[in-house]
Amino acid sequence: MTNSGIMTEATTPAGSVLERGRSATTAELGNRAEWIRLRTIDLIDQAGGGHYSSTFSVAELYSVLYYHTMRLRHSEPKWVDRDRFLLGKGHAAIGLWPIFADLGFFPVAWLDGYGTLGSPLTDHPNMRTAPGTDFSSGSLGHNLSVGVGIALAGRANERDYRTFVLTGDGEIQEGQVWEAAMAASHYGLGNLVAIVDANGYAGGDGSTSVTMNIEPIADRFSAFGWNTVEINGNDIEEVVAAFDELPSPSSKIPTCVIARTMKGKGVKMMELAPNAWHIGKLLTGADLVQARDEIESRIR
Amino acid sequence: MTNSGIMTEATTPAGSVLERGRSATTAELGNRAEWIRLRTIDLIDQAGGGHYSSTFSVAELYSVLYYHTMRLRHSEPKWVDRDRFLLGKGHAAIGLWPIFADLGFFPVAWLDGYGTLGSPLTDHPNMRTAPGTDFSSGSLGHNLSVGVGIALAGRANERDYRTFVLTGDGEIQEGQVWEAAMAASHYGLGNLVAIVDANGYAGGDGSTSVTMNIEPIADRFSAFGWNTVEINGNDIEEVVAAFDELPSPSSKIPTCVIARTMKGKGVKMMELAPNAWHIGKLLTGADLVQARDEIESRIR
Amino acid sequence: MTELSTEEKMEDIFSEESVKRAAQARNIGAELSRLNDVRGDVAVLVADMGVVAGEFRQRHPTHFFDLGIAETNTMSVAAGLAAEGLIPFTMLMSCFGMLKCAEQIRTDVASNHLPVRIVARGTGLALGFFGTSHHTVEDIAIARSITNMTVVAPSDFNAFLSLVESTIDLPGPVYFRMSSGAEDASVYDSVPVIERGRFMTVRPGSDVTVIAIGNGVVAALGAAEVLAGEGVSVEVIDAAYLKPVDEQAILRAAEHTGRILTVEEHNVIGGLGTIVAEVLGRHRAPSLLKIFGLPDEDLAVSWPAVLIEHYGLTVTGVLEQLRQLLAEEK
Amino acid sequence: MTELSTEEKMEDIFSEESVKRAAQARNIGAELSRLNDVRGDVAVLVADMGVVAGEFRQRHPTHFFDLGIAETNTMSVAAGLAAEGLIPFTMLMSCFGMLKCAEQIRTDVASNHLPVRIVARGTGLALGFFGTSHHTVEDIAIARSITNMTVVAPSDFNAFLSLVESTIDLPGPVYFRMSSGAEDASVYDSVPVIERGRFMTVRPGSDVTVIAIGNGVVAALGAAEVLAGEGVSVEVIDAAYLKPVDEQAILRAAEHTGRILTVEEHNVIGGLGTIVAEVLGRHRAPSLLKIFGLPDEDLAVSWPAVLIEHYGLTVTGVLEQLRQLLAEEK
Ligand SMILES: Cc1ncc(C[n+]2csc(CCOP(=O)(O)OP(=O)(O)O)c2C)c(N)n1
Ligand SMILES: Cc1ncc(C[n+]2csc(CCOP(=O)(O)OP(=O)(O)O)c2C)c(N)n1
Ligand SMILES: [Mg+2]
Ligand SMILES: [Mg+2]
């Protein structure tokens, strides 16, 4: 597929700083989110497996973070002053790979190898192989802790980067998340932002209210000393607003953005059966066509 | 020392059921708490080490639980319908041993061996060696999970026992506690009671507000779906009232009693330096006499 | 390398295929259901992904517990259930089992001699598509160092059944190291009798001995068949018990063939190879020994079948190892 | 058994005595402070009980982090710090280190080749007064099964210094298995040079070899001295590196004396004894071998010194083992 109709950084000169809050229209960011969904379908098809519904719920978050919110430098994934992004729910990494290629973190051609032995791009992200990955993940619940470490290092090294950690809502069932939450507020880490992808489902075949309740998420984080913001995480404008209003990295209270999303967002059959689509099913035949059509129809 | 002035179960016939909420005066229960302190001093002296201040903060809780609140059967520590008690902060087990002997769970003579190799009574409690120990502990943060298991078993086995779990306030820094808290409310365990000994200090040399903040405890538990009650945990009447008012074990919301206590309660030098007395210091000479005098002077 | 179809690739433990298999009679949930019908004291715990419990969920809802994505809690909850007389089977993704819950297993379960059963599904490379975080190649090392632990490695579903049933009344914990084959390979035609602490000779032979676990047993049997055609007699031993371990069987092999190949889907450090080498070393029983398993280096990530080929844990791979071993001078 | 005074009993790592020692120059906190004066990239993390960090806390407050009683978080936070170029030393009570954080260590630290240093204080029986939950007797088994891990066991403070400094620029993680003696025993008069993957021969000898770690080295030296008086020449080797391990030294001992005694404060399964047996087994190097450590059974609880005597990890105990080994027929 081509990128027509979708804003791209592919033509940005290497080394340019992509500033925080840089301009992008809602339509552009929305298109980008759909592009992420399409590319996710392509890559899963290519590899033979992957997590559609978990990636679809965060497409708007990815789009806004990487094309509007985060301070980055094109083609320099290790630039020391970049904002960091950690994907706690690492099983949605597949949606990051096209973005990272577009940002010049590695050649677009790398995507062609996705799913083959030896590919640096894997189902869960590996920081040693996939440039742009600020930390590896795979075991749910670790990355908020790692993010605390990265944010603490920011303070010790006197750098003003922000550290974003995107967790699943099932992921916050892990106690380590609460150890990290406690430490983040204790250490006054206003440079740390947790984003909870509240799509209502973990890997079980019922919603989390049935399998292991996690609500009220905002009250839990706020009792652990965090600012909380609750938004529709599939609504570009709400996502942009929430990130635009983040307190300064030098402030003293970490922020938790609770992004209410739909697991499988953007493809009806997945929205209706989010967990049948968690892992183990492949889009084929008419379903595949239908899913692509649905997504493409929204590109403006 | 003798037990004069202190209510005792030592003369209760073996096998008698000690009912929930059985009558005991405030004075009797207060005396019993002081007796626990005195016996703790004796046993630490005998063994050459132990946790005074951590045990002193919970003396009133122990007294009320074992001499008023819990349903037990004299001399039958494994009676299937007994209320269960788990000591998450296992380093305060030394205060339980004299109680268990008094309740006929093992011969009083066992106390004489405390601190020697092979003694069934150890610094942290071992369920395999010390009768009356409903579960072993030593690693902070595990016992609320175990308590969830015991409470779930109560439901599965259709028994109406309560399960009490006493945790330290440093202990609730462990994430596993929050996994357990989440599961307890999810499973509607009204038969589970967590008691947090909120003495303000963990093992560090500053209060927890300095080392790792845990407040507001009540908000944290309530956001995790628990009823909460906050009391002065060194005040017999408040402790009695809190336990008397526990909802029925068949109810659906677990209760957390946040017991505000003083670490080292009852011995001034310890109250003033709770953490110097956490571990590693022994009462000797004039200090020993002074501490005993202070405690004895309160026995009515 | 063989080109795999999408369907073949997807045959991991979460696939529809696998769920379908799980709906059939011969699956863990069904077995545990049957067991609980008879005993009434069996419980099943999962940490999310309750589908792995199969019909147990529906048939015994009062004894089924999903604890969410909280493995350490799951293990300690199981300890609490066990303290109250139940026999809890914790069914965890292996990578979040022994490694993530080592302390809870040692301290709450094993030290207290509680009958928790840890069914670790997807050991070795079976979840390897998901990433390095999902490889389970240290679990035997950990499990056997824990006092009071019984460690078994079923090579097929019949072996699993045998081991579940023969250990059900054991007072302490049991770690079931489930290879992917433990759920669908075919080593035993019927449920074998596996005595505590005994290996199983699944093919007699006199020139060389393969001691294998899990998927390695099937690969070894295949290699033995090939070599039989060349007049080489290969003994194949299924090391079903890793703790207590069958020292006599190892010493017998040393004496009998004097050439031993171990095959395992585990780090070559700390697993079956280590156990066999250790027994030989401790008993001054010199034998040629080749330890074949996963190298102690960053492991590749891909579909399990691709990884198994990559690391040679196949008939062809074992065959090659055997040829090398046979070529060595005694 | 010797009757111990209260003061002697209290000489555990939390005692006033120990805090006093920690206030002196030769302690971990002071060393790490000095190291950070020079480098600026050293961080120290504790999980409560910050006193163990000694003066580092005061001298480098921006690089000191108390994470509270939350060990797993501590380990992953350390990984995050390391990803940003710091060299974090996590100072944990050993029983809540490798065992409790095995997954965080493997997945966040080791798989990512991050330079986290895990200083596990109080291994073996050193915290044994507190209960079975506080014994640390499985950590070597776990640590060596983890890919990319360097595992060292300093036998005294000079060895610790040597190992800290020689590994400081190593890109991957290092596990320091601290026996109580690592902080106060005396094996080396000055800071020795310990090459990566090398054992240290601390006493040459020709009749029998003791390969020991931690407190076992001192006990072995004492026993060697006694036997020297009887005309028996005992070689004593300090197995400072457990991973990578010094295979050559083990094979040399097998060849040279043909009688090896291993001494460790670890389960006899999975630790030093296993390593040595495994190397002998793998290399067909027959040697008499006696593995002396903690039995694989429920361990007793008491003051460390009492336990050490009880399990014979003393001069007398090692002497007895050596006499038995010397009496065996080659
Ligand atoms: C520690 C751990 N336990 C279990 C898993 C297996 N697992 C992968 S995805 C998943 C469900 C995650 O749910 P959630 O965090 O809500 O993410 P979503 O897919 O809904 O975005 C599980 C249990 C894991 N990766 N890590
Ligand atoms: C998992 C774990 N980490 C560390 C310790 C060591 N430790 C023993 S007591 C203690 C402090 C406990 O503080 P708190 O829970 O507040 O209990 P208190 O002594 O104040 O009653 C610590 C850290 C432990 N026992 N378990
Ligand atoms: Mg979710
Ligand atoms: Mg406290």
Side-chain angles (χ1 to χ4, degrees):
Chain A
M1 67 157 297
T2 73
N3 288 347
S4 63
I6 294 160
M7 65 183 296
T8 178
E9 302 291 0
T11 54
T12 310
S16 322
V17 172
L18 308 168
E19 292 295 350
R20 285 181 184 151
R22 60 196 178 278
S23 84
T25 66
T26 303
E28 284 171 334
L29 293 170
N31 289 349
R32 173 62 62 183
E34 303 303 353
W35 174 84
I36 292 166
R37 292 193 172 91
L38 291 171
R39 297 299 284 125
T40 297
I41 291 179
D42 295 340
L43 291 174
I44 292 182
D45 201 52
Q46 175 180 315
H51 299 77
Y52 300 98
S53 61
S54 307
T55 309
F56 289 1
S57 62
V58 295
E60 282 75 18
L61 293 166
Y62 283 179
S63 169
V64 175
L65 283 166
Y66 278 96
Y67 289 90
H68 172 68
T69 300
M70 287 170 66
R71 182 173 66 200
L72 300 165
R73 205 181 243 181
H74 195 278
S75 309
E76 293 189 16
K78 291 195 179 269
W79 178 43
V80 66
D81 282 318
R82 75 191 183 284
D83 288 329
R84 274 65 167 162
F85 177 77
L86 278 68
L87 183 63
K89 45 170 278 184
H91 54 289
I94 196 166
L96 292 176
W97 306 139
I99 299 175
F100 288 4
D102 186 58
L103 292 171
F105 292 169
F106 49 71
V108 179
W110 283 24
L111 298 172
D112 301 336
Y114 182 76
T116 63
L117 189 71
S119 166
L121 314 177
T122 43
D123 180 67
H124 287 78
N126 184 334
M127 67 192 286
R128 286 180 55 80
T129 60
T133 304
D134 288 322
F135 208 88
S136 309
S137 58
S139 180
L140 294 165
H142 290 202
N143 262 1
L144 193 60
S145 298
V146 175
V148 167
I150 292 178
L152 284 172
R155 290 278 161 86
N157 296 333
E158 298 179 10
R159 305 219 164 253
D160 78 338
Y161 58 77
R162 276 209 181 85
T163 303
F164 293 88
V165 182
L166 176 56
T167 75
D169 54 350
E171 179 172 6
I172 64 172
Q173 293 165 343
E174 286 287 349
Q176 193 178 334
V177 171
W178 299 102
E179 296 179 347
M182 196 177 306
S185 62
H186 181 76
Y187 276 100
L189 299 178
N191 55 353
L192 181 67
V193 181
I195 308 165
V196 178
D197 175 23
N199 62 18
Y201 289 82
D205 44 7
S207 70
T208 51
S209 61
V210 172
T211 59
M212 178 55 63
N213 177 49
I214 47 168
E215 300 288 352
I217 303 176
D219 287 1
R220 293 187 182 190
F221 272 92
S222 109
F224 276 71
W226 290 56
N227 290 322
T228 60
V229 195
E230 213 149 341
I231 58 166
N232 175 345
N234 295 128
D235 181 306
I236 294 284
E237 290 180 9
E238 288 196 31
V239 175
V240 166
F243 292 147
D244 282 356
E245 284 156 27
L246 285 174
S248 149
S250 63
S251 65
K252 296 287 177 233
I253 303 181
T255 297
C256 177
V257 176
I258 296 140
R260 300 283 167 190
T261 63
M262 277 186 89
K263 191 156 178 168
K265 178 74 186 178
V267 174
K268 261 284 153 316
M269 71 186 106
M270 297 189 186
E271 293 179 358
L272 294 172
N275 265 37
W277 290 95
H278 177 74
I279 186 70
K281 264 173 101 84
L282 266 192
L283 278 175
T284 53
D287 285 350
L288 179 59
V289 174
Q290 156 85 32
R292 298 191 59 95
D293 282 355
E294 242 179 278
I295 299 169
E296 275 168 1
S297 74
R298 286 189 304 268
I299 296 182
R300 290 176 275 179
Chain B
M1 67 155 295
T2 71
N3 287 349
S4 60
I6 295 161
M7 66 184 296
T8 177
E9 304 291 358
T11 53
T12 309
S16 324
V17 173
L18 307 169
E19 291 295 351
R20 284 182 183 150
R22 60 195 177 279
S23 85
T25 67
T26 303
E28 283 170 334
L29 293 169
N31 288 350
R32 172 62 62 183
E34 302 303 353
W35 173 83
I36 292 167
R37 293 193 171 91
L38 290 172
R39 298 298 285 126
T40 296
I41 291 179
D42 295 339
L43 291 175
I44 292 182
D45 201 54
Q46 175 181 317
H51 299 76
Y52 299 100
S53 62
S54 306
T55 308
F56 289 0
S57 62
V58 295
E60 281 75 18
L61 293 166
Y62 283 179
S63 168
V64 174
L65 283 165
Y66 278 96
Y67 290 90
H68 171 70
T69 299
M70 287 169 68
R71 183 173 65 202
L72 300 166
R73 205 182 244 182
H74 195 278
S75 308
E76 292 189 17
K78 290 196 179 267
W79 178 44
V80 66
D81 282 316
R82 75 192 182 283
D83 287 331
R84 274 66 168 163
F85 176 78
L86 278 67
L87 183 64
K89 46 170 276 185
H91 54 290
I94 196 166
L96 292 176
W97 307 139
I99 299 175
F100 288 5
D102 186 57
L103 292 172
F105 292 168
F106 49 72
V108 178
W110 283 24
L111 298 172
D112 300 337
Y114 183 76
T116 62
L117 188 72
S119 165
L121 313 177
T122 44
D123 181 66
H124 287 78
N126 185 333
M127 68 194 283
R128 287 181 53 82
T129 59
T133 304
D134 287 322
F135 209 87
S136 309
S137 59
S139 180
L140 295 165
H142 289 204
N143 263 1
L144 193 59
S145 297
V146 175
V148 166
I150 292 178
L152 285 172
R155 289 278 160 88
N157 295 333
E158 298 181 10
R159 305 217 164 254
D160 78 337
Y161 59 77
R162 276 208 181 87
T163 303
F164 294 88
V165 181
L166 176 57
T167 75
D169 53 351
E171 178 172 7
I172 65 173
Q173 293 164 345
E174 285 287 350
Q176 193 179 333
V177 171
W178 300 102
E179 296 181 346
M182 194 177 308
S185 62
H186 180 76
Y187 277 100
L189 299 178
N191 55 352
L192 180 67
V193 181
I195 308 164
V196 179
D197 175 24
N199 62 20
Y201 288 83
D205 44 7
S207 69
T208 50
S209 62
V210 173
T211 57
M212 180 52 65
N213 177 49
I214 47 167
E215 301 288 352
I217 302 175
D219 287 1
R220 293 187 182 189
F221 273 91
S222 108
F224 275 71
W226 290 56
N227 289 321
T228 61
V229 195
E230 213 150 340
I231 57 165
N232 176 345
N234 294 129
D235 182 308
I236 294 283
E237 289 179 11
E238 289 196 29
V239 176
V240 166
F243 291 147
D244 282 355
E245 284 155 28
L246 285 174
S248 149
S250 63
S251 65
K252 296 286 177 231
I253 303 179
T255 298
C256 176
V257 176
I258 296 140
R260 300 285 167 190
T261 63
M262 280 187 85
K263 191 158 179 167
K265 178 73 184 180
V267 174
K268 261 282 151 321
M269 71 186 106
M270 297 189 187
E271 293 179 357
L272 293 173
N275 265 38
W277 290 97
H278 177 73
I279 187 68
K281 264 173 100 86
L282 266 193
L283 277 175
T284 50
D287 283 352
L288 180 58
V289 174
Q290 156 85 33
R292 297 192 60 95
D293 283 354
E294 242 179 279
I295 298 169
E296 276 169 359
S297 75
R298 286 191 304 270
I299 297 183
R300 288 176 276 177
Chain C
M1 210 188 65
T2 346
E3 186 58 34
L4 296 170
S5 73
T6 297
E7 283 63 38
E8 282 167 324
K9 284 180 186 167
M10 287 298 294
E11 286 223 6
D12 67 286
I13 67 167
F14 299 121
S15 71
E16 274 192 290
E17 253 321 293
S18 144
V19 174
K20 254 186 260 146
R21 273 203 310 271
Q24 292 158 10
R26 285 167 56 83
N27 71 73
I28 304 180
E31 279 310 310
L32 297 181
S33 274
R34 267 199 277 283
L35 208 56
N36 200 38
D37 286 340
V38 180
R39 306 180 52 100
D41 61 358
V42 173
V44 171
L45 288 83
V46 301
D48 202 48
M49 313 237 195
V51 64
V52 300
E55 67 182 77
F56 192 96
R57 271 200 297 184
Q58 284 75 43
R59 300 235 344 257
H60 303 284
T62 59
H63 284 58
F64 170 78
F65 307 99
D66 182 346
L67 279 311
I69 311 176
E71 292 81 3
T72 55
N73 184 51
T74 304
M75 204 53 78
S76 298
V77 167
L81 290 166
E84 293 295 332
L86 293 166
I87 302 185
F89 282 73
T90 60
M91 294 183 57
L92 299 178
M93 287 170 69
S94 60
C95 48
F96 309 120
M98 190 49 74
L99 195 68
K100 194 173 182 65
C101 307
E103 194 222 10
Q104 286 74 15
I105 292 171
R106 186 203 66 165
T107 299
D108 291 341
V109 175
S111 294
N112 294 323
H113 297 235
L114 290 172
V116 173
R117 277 76 181 101
I118 302 157
V119 181
R121 300 180 73 230
T123 57
L125 304 166
L127 304 174
F129 172 73
F130 297 115
T132 46
S133 56
H134 283 60
H135 291 320
T136 307
V137 300
E138 309 85 355
D139 58 318
I140 296 174
I142 303 173
R144 74 184 288 258
S145 76
I146 295 177
T147 295
N148 301 327
M149 186 66 70
T150 294
V151 184
V152 299
S155 59
D156 76 356
F157 198 74
N158 280 323
F160 175 70
L161 289 182
S162 163
L163 290 164
V164 167
E165 283 168 23
S166 61
T167 59
I168 193 74
D169 287 313
L170 210 73
V174 182
Y175 180 68
F176 293 89
R177 182 179 214 253
M178 308 295 283
S179 55
S180 51
E183 294 173 51
D184 57 12
S186 186
V187 174
Y188 301 97
D189 295 333
S190 57
V191 178
V193 177
I194 308 180
E195 277 174 64
R196 181 168 172 82
R198 286 281 158 265
F199 290 172
M200 300 290 285
T201 303
V202 290
R203 181 184 176 113
S206 53
D207 296 327
V208 59
T209 305
V210 188
I211 304 180
I213 50 171
N215 297 333
V217 177
V218 174
L221 286 170
E225 196 58 40
V226 175
L227 286 178
E230 300 173 18
V232 180
S233 167
V234 181
E235 177 184 40
V236 180
I237 291 178
D238 176 1
Y241 264 88
L242 294 171
K243 183 177 187 177
V245 78
D246 193 344
E247 303 211 343
Q248 288 319 312
I250 296 169
L251 298 175
R252 227 166 21 234
E255 172 119 11
H256 179 53
T257 67
R259 294 179 195 271
I260 301 177
L261 172 69
T262 61
V263 184
E264 66 194 306
E265 217 173 309
H266 186 279
N267 192 337
V268 287
I269 296 183
L272 174 67
T274 288
I275 293 174
V276 171
E278 180 185 339
V279 170
L280 296 175
R282 261 195 292 118
H283 292 273
R284 266 206 302 180
S287 167
L288 283 172
L289 172 66
K290 217 165 159 41
I291 294 177
F292 187 50
L294 299 168
D296 185 32
E297 62 187 40
D298 294 327
L299 295 176
V301 167
S302 188
W303 295 106
V306 175
L307 294 174
I308 290 284
E309 281 235 21
H310 179 68
Y311 290 107
L313 291 163
T314 53
V315 171
T316 324
V318 171
L319 198 53
E320 193 184 312
Q321 297 295 321
L322 279 171
R323 291 201 200 281
Q324 284 176 20
L325 181 58
L326 287 161
E328 275 182 47
E329 231 160 278
K330 266 221 191 151
Chain D
M1 211 189 64
T2 347
E3 186 57 33
L4 296 169
S5 74
T6 296
E7 283 64 38
E8 282 167 324
K9 285 182 186 167
M10 289 298 294
E11 286 226 3
D12 67 288
I13 66 167
F14 299 120
S15 72
E16 274 193 289
E17 253 319 293
S18 146
V19 174
K20 256 188 256 146
R21 274 202 309 272
Q24 291 158 11
R26 285 168 57 82
N27 70 75
I28 304 178
E31 279 311 309
L32 297 181
S33 274
R34 267 200 277 284
L35 207 57
N36 199 39
D37 287 340
V38 180
R39 306 179 53 97
D41 60 359
V42 173
V44 171
L45 287 83
V46 301
D48 201 48
M49 312 237 196
V51 64
V52 301
E55 68 183 77
F56 193 96
R57 271 200 297 185
Q58 284 76 43
R59 300 237 342 258
H60 303 284
T62 59
H63 285 57
F64 170 78
F65 307 100
D66 182 346
L67 278 311
I69 311 175
E71 292 81 4
T72 55
N73 184 51
T74 304
M75 203 53 78
S76 299
V77 167
L81 290 165
E84 293 295 333
L86 293 166
I87 303 184
F89 282 74
T90 59
M91 294 182 58
L92 298 179
M93 287 168 69
S94 59
C95 47
F96 310 120
M98 190 48 76
L99 194 67
K100 194 173 182 67
C101 307
E103 194 223 10
Q104 287 74 15
I105 292 171
R106 185 202 67 165
T107 300
D108 292 340
V109 174
S111 293
N112 293 323
H113 297 237
L114 290 172
V116 173
R117 278 73 181 103
I118 300 157
V119 182
R121 300 181 72 229
T123 58
L125 304 167
L127 303 174
F129 173 71
F130 297 114
T132 45
S133 56
H134 282 61
H135 291 319
T136 307
V137 300
E138 308 85 356
D139 58 318
I140 296 175
I142 303 174
R144 73 185 288 259
S145 76
I146 295 177
T147 295
N148 300 328
M149 187 65 70
T150 294
V151 184
V152 299
S155 58
D156 76 357
F157 198 75
N158 279 323
F160 175 70
L161 288 182
S162 163
L163 292 164
V164 167
E165 282 168 25
S166 60
T167 59
I168 193 74
D169 287 314
L170 209 72
V174 183
Y175 180 68
F176 293 89
R177 181 179 215 253
M178 308 294 282
S179 55
S180 52
E183 295 175 49
D184 57 12
S186 186
V187 173
Y188 301 98
D189 294 334
S190 57
V191 178
V193 176
I194 309 181
E195 277 174 63
R196 181 169 172 79
R198 287 279 158 268
F199 289 172
M200 300 289 285
T201 303
V202 291
R203 180 182 176 116
S206 52
D207 297 327
V208 60
T209 304
V210 187
I211 305 181
I213 50 170
N215 298 333
V217 177
V218 175
L221 286 171
E225 195 59 39
V226 175
L227 286 177
E230 301 173 16
V232 179
S233 167
V234 181
E235 178 183 40
V236 180
I237 291 178
D238 177 1
Y241 263 89
L242 294 171
K243 184 177 185 177
V245 79
D246 194 343
E247 302 212 343
Q248 290 318 312
I250 296 168
L251 297 175
R252 231 169 16 239
E255 171 118 12
H256 180 52
T257 67
R259 293 179 195 271
I260 301 177
L261 172 70
T262 61
V263 184
E264 67 193 305
E265 217 173 309
H266 187 279
N267 191 339
V268 287
I269 296 183
L272 175 66
T274 288
I275 294 175
V276 171
E278 178 185 342
V279 170
L280 296 175
R282 260 197 292 119
H283 291 272
R284 267 207 301 179
S287 167
L288 284 171
L289 172 64
K290 217 167 158 40
I291 294 177
F292 187 49
L294 298 169
D296 184 32
E297 61 187 39
D298 294 327
L299 295 174
V301 166
S302 187
W303 295 105
V306 175
L307 293 174
I308 290 284
E309 281 233 23
H310 178 68
Y311 289 107
L313 291 163
T314 54
V315 171
T316 323
V318 171
L319 200 52
E320 192 185 313
Q321 296 295 322
L322 278 171
R323 290 199 200 283
Q324 285 175 20
L325 182 56
L326 286 161
E328 276 181 45
E329 232 159 277
K330 266 220 191 157

